[in-house]
């Protein structure tokens, strides 16, 4: 019995060693981590902008202001600064969406369908914030381009999600030149149409 199992055991051992050797020699896949947290009126998130560079984003629920920053790689300061008015963008999206709903409801009434309720502007907005990886076409690497992450902000009373692209300047970061830019509203949509929440 040992004579029959011995050759197979040797083949298994050699195969296992070969597989481990290849795995160790192969380049390691980078791991990207993000962090999010929130309190009663604030939320924070981090996201990668470039290899080895992370941004920090702070959302104030009371004002609807989203601000971000990137640490300098040379001094004890923030080198890049970002800002967006999430509440203003939310209102603009609700107005646009309600115009579409009104037109669809007029058509539904003519055809005997059921009209859809319009989106109500939240009296007390409640936000969630996360970041994710973004494969936005970057073009040439010279100048300002989208960073590797996108910021998703959800308003829970309306079900609306806003996605913000982060302008990134590798040259400014390398040279430690101050860089300031508005966050770019990249996409928006309502992901929950039946929102039954009290405010």
């Amino acid at each position: 019995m040992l004579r029959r199992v011995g050759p197979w055991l040797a083949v298994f051992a050699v195969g296992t060693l070969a597989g481990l050797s290849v795995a160790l020699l192969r380049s390691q896949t980078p791991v990207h981590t993000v962090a999010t947290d929130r309190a009663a009126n604030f939320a924070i998130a981090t996201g990668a902008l470039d290899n080895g560079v992370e941004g920090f984003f702070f959302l104030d629920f009371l004002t609807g202001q989203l601000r971000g920053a990137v640490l300098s790689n040379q001094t004890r300061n923030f080198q890049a600064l970002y800002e967006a008015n999430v509440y203003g963008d939310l209102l603009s999206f609700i107005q646009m969406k309600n115009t579409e709903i009104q037109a669809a409801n007029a058509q539904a009434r003519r055809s005997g369908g059921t009209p859809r309720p319009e989106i109500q502007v939240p009296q007390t907005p409640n936000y969630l914030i996360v970041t994710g990886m973004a494969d936005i076409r970057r073009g040439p690497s010279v100048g300002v381009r989208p960073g590797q992450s996108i910021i998703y902000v959800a308003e829970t009373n309306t079900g609306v999600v806003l996605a913000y692209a982060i302008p990134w300047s590798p040259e400014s970061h390398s040279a430690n030149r101050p860089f300031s830019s508005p966050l770019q509203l990249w996409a928006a949509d309502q992901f929950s149409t039946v929102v039954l929440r009290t405010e």
Side-chain angles (χ1 to χ4, degrees):
M1 174 94 170
L2 189 55
R3 286 184 201 158
R4 281 192 283 168
V5 175
W8 290 109
L9 188 57
V11 169
F12 176 75
V14 170
T16 301
L17 288 174
L20 288 172
S21 298
V22 169
L24 289 173
L25 293 174
R26 200 175 137 238
S27 63
Q28 299 296 317
T29 303
V31 176
H32 301 282
T33 60
V34 296
T36 58
D37 202 356
R38 63 176 283 151
N41 294 315
F42 304 100
I44 59 173
T46 62
L49 296 178
D50 210 337
N51 294 331
V53 182
E54 181 178 69
F56 167 81
F57 303 94
F58 181 90
L59 177 58
D60 182 338
F61 293 6
L62 300 177
T63 64
Q65 288 298 117
L66 174 62
R67 292 189 171 95
V70 175
L71 283 172
S72 166
N73 60 0
Q74 299 175 33
T75 61
R76 295 183 178 190
N77 294 312
F78 288 107
Q79 178 265 327
L81 299 172
Y82 302 99
E83 189 166 358
N85 184 335
V86 172
Y87 188 69
D89 292 336
L90 177 68
L91 293 181
S92 296
F93 174 79
I94 289 173
Q95 284 180 331
M96 181 202 69
K97 199 69 174 174
N98 280 344
T99 301
E100 292 175 9
I101 291 171
Q102 290 165 2
N105 284 347
Q107 178 65 29
R109 283 189 204 86
R110 285 192 292 274
S111 62
T114 305
R116 179 180 158 196
E118 293 182 23
I119 304 171
Q120 300 301 309
V121 174
Q123 298 300 312
T124 308
N126 185 49
Y127 300 103
L128 299 173
I129 181 173
V130 295
T131 58
M133 298 302 288
D135 186 20
I136 297 172
R137 184 175 295 273
R138 290 177 170 77
S141 61
V142 178
V144 178
R145 56 186 172 85
Q148 292 178 353
S149 291
I150 196 126
I151 304 167
Y152 299 99
V153 178
E155 199 290 309
T156 63
N157 295 299
T158 59
V160 172
V161 175
L162 307 168
Y164 290 92
I166 309 163
W168 176 239
S169 172
E171 291 78 17
S172 294
H173 186 68
S174 295
N176 197 37
R177 283 193 311 268
F179 177 77
S180 180
S181 177
L183 295 165
Q184 299 169 353
L185 181 60
W186 194 260
D189 209 339
Q190 185 182 30
F191 286 86
S192 175
T193 55
V194 181
V195 183
L196 303 173
R197 297 179 181 89
T198 58
E199 297 192 31

